Amino acid sequence: MTILADPMDRALELACEAAAAGEVPVGAVIVDPETGEIVAEGANAPISGHDPTAHAEIVALRRAAEKLGNYRLTGLTMYVTLEPCAMCAGAISLARIGKLVFGACDPKGGAVIHGARFFEQPTCHWRPDVEQDEARGEAASQLLKAFFKARRK
């Protein structure tokens, strides 16, 4: 059993690992808030996995569902370094995640507080509590900016 004082720190470590592998630096951790146990984690892997759906959130959701033997992850908390896109927000809703904590905002591709605002749509059947970790969001934002700046050279 792995328990961390701040799961967002682990999500940031996973984002750094993704960047080192040439993937967009995003990390996600799913935690049982009652015990503090990390249930599953994931890092972006669409390039290495040849899978356009292998976003950090999806990877973590798949691992958590497999570990628990249930696709419904009710009551768990997901920590992710970047505001989820529409695909990931949809998967978070379908998994019935209880709370979503994200770091950096994504005005271009995010779908939680930007863009589609997925959880506010009347067709969304499950809405997690949502919180932004602004303190860690700045670190996640800087990691993303450095990653893309290096790619533009």
Side-chain angles (χ1 to χ4, degrees):
M1 169 169 39
T2 303
I3 298 176
L4 294 177
D6 190 338
M8 190 62 86
D9 287 337
R10 177 63 184 146
L12 284 165
E13 289 174 8
L14 291 163
C16 288
E17 291 173 15
E23 302 279 359
V24 173
V26 179
V29 176
I30 297 175
V31 174
D32 180 337
E34 291 184 20
T35 65
E37 177 186 359
I38 291 180
V39 176
E41 56 186 35
N44 261 10
I47 297 167
S48 62
H50 310 290
D51 179 358
T53 69
H55 290 194
E57 300 95 323
I58 301 293
V59 172
L61 288 169
R62 286 177 179 158
R63 289 177 178 165
E66 187 169 329
K67 180 178 180 176
L68 299 176
N70 193 338
Y71 74 99
R72 289 198 172 170
L73 306 174
T74 308
L76 300 181
T77 300
M78 176 181 279
Y79 295 83
V80 61
T81 57
L82 182 65
E83 177 183 353
C85 68
M87 174 184 69
C88 292
I92 289 164
S93 176
L94 291 171
R96 309 295 200 272
I97 287 288
K99 183 176 182 179
L100 169 68
V101 180
F102 70 91
C105 287
D106 186 357
K108 184 176 179 183
V112 176
I113 62 172
H114 294 93
R117 297 180 185 234
F118 185 87
F119 301 128
E120 295 176 20
Q121 300 307 311
T123 53
C124 178
H125 298 294
W126 179 267
R127 293 163 181 84
D129 292 332
V130 176
E131 178 183 313
Q132 184 182 5
D133 182 341
E134 293 181 25
R136 302 280 181 335
E138 183 57 33
S141 179
Q142 292 304 318
L143 180 61
L144 285 155
K145 287 175 184 174
F147 177 83
F148 287 115
K149 183 177 181 182
R151 299 285 176 287
R152 287 189 210 105
K153 288 183 179 184

